[in-house]
Amino acid sequence: MQVAKTIEEVRRHTKGARSRGKKIGFVPTMGALHVGHTSLIDRGIMDCDFIVVSIFVNPTQFGPGEDFKKYPRPVDDDLKICEEHNVDLVFNPEPQEMYAAKNLTWVNVEKLTELLCGRSRPGHFQGVTTVCAKLFNIVQPDIVYLGQKDAQQAIVIRRMVADLNMPMEIVVCPTIREADGLAVSSRNKYLSEKQRKDATLIYKSLQKCREMIDSGIRDSQKIIAEMRKILQQVPSIEIEYISIVDADTLQNLDQITGRVLTAVAVRIGPARLIDNILIDTGKL
Ligand code: AMP
């Protein structure tokens, strides 16, 4: 496994792989790797011949007062995990390598970024799409692997790739969960034992949504009210949003129909946690 700190090194390795006819898979991450990340790597290994993982805590996607400084950076552990999962190349740049000159160019996907997490994290998605555009230009992958865990992020990046005619495929992989249903996340580390237990209510509320839709209920407000009751069982949970939206446009749905995304964002103590489920009512 090669570890590159510079853009030039990445270009050299990927150019070599491409000239040997290898299909390049790319998994962008912020590190603190866990089974959610490795599920993307493992999927990439199945489809591709050369897997690149980036480990970069991207400053431009964190707002003032967010957790940029304290975001975990266990780089040695991450490299070990990558090695164990047969990654070919890790790109682990310093911020000055990615943002050498102060960026005057930003990539901004309209509309889709104004909803859900975009409301409470202004500028967040612009940071995400800008760093992804830069990383995609550096790595030039055939396939990019993203997690359904960050559903809005995947939708926004897919749209950027389509709108800017970037020549790559986006594959979105299922959310990996702990045994009790909590979506695996680097930010779960911020939780105390009690908060970690309370956090299981997030997935319970999503399961309630699924049950209600399965039983034929189509009134979103009715479902959201039941989900709210579940999350309000503990005082530690502060609800940021519970939304039932069209899975393509992210517009709120009063009546559930077609492919719907139910998305939740909460604060528990020091952590902001998000989760979602995707339901295709056409297939029920
Ligand atoms: P992050 O390091 O949090 O920026 O995440 C990097 C990639 O891993 C993103 O595409 C995430 O959606 C994906 N990811 C994070 N957690 C999970 C999970 N529990 N299941 C599946 N994918 C995940």
Side-chain angles (χ1 to χ4, degrees), residues 161-176:
V161 164
D163 285 353
L164 297 183
N165 308 98
M166 293 180 167
M168 59 200 67
E169 186 188 335
I170 300 289
V171 171
V172 181
C173 302
T175 302
I176 305 296

Side-chain angles (χ1 to χ4, degrees), residues 28-31 34 36-37 39-40 71 145-147 149-150 153 174-176 183-184:
T29 82
M30 297 207 299
H34 51 60
H37 299 113
S39 72
L40 306 183
Y71 198 86
Y145 296 90
L146 303 173
K149 155 80 172 42
D150 298 278
Q153 173 172 282
T175 302
I176 305 296
V184 179

Side-chain angles (χ1 to χ4, degrees), residues 195-247:
Q195 290 162 345
R196 167 66 187 77
K197 199 159 162 263
D198 291 349
T200 60
L201 293 176
I202 302 169
Y203 188 55
K204 291 212 174 89
S205 74
L206 290 167
Q207 280 177 309
K208 181 73 183 174
C209 170
R210 192 186 293 280
E211 276 165 30
M212 291 179 81
I213 293 178
D214 280 348
S215 74
I217 297 168
R218 294 290 178 270
D219 178 348
S220 291
Q221 286 313 318
K222 205 166 166 182
I223 297 175
I224 289 171
E226 289 304 312
M227 293 176 68
R228 192 174 292 280
K229 272 190 214 159
I230 291 174
L231 292 169
Q232 284 173 338
Q233 281 170 20
V234 291
S236 66
I237 294 186
E238 192 188 313
I239 299 170
E240 188 183 293
Y241 65 75
I242 305 171
S243 297
I244 301 182
V245 300
D246 179 282

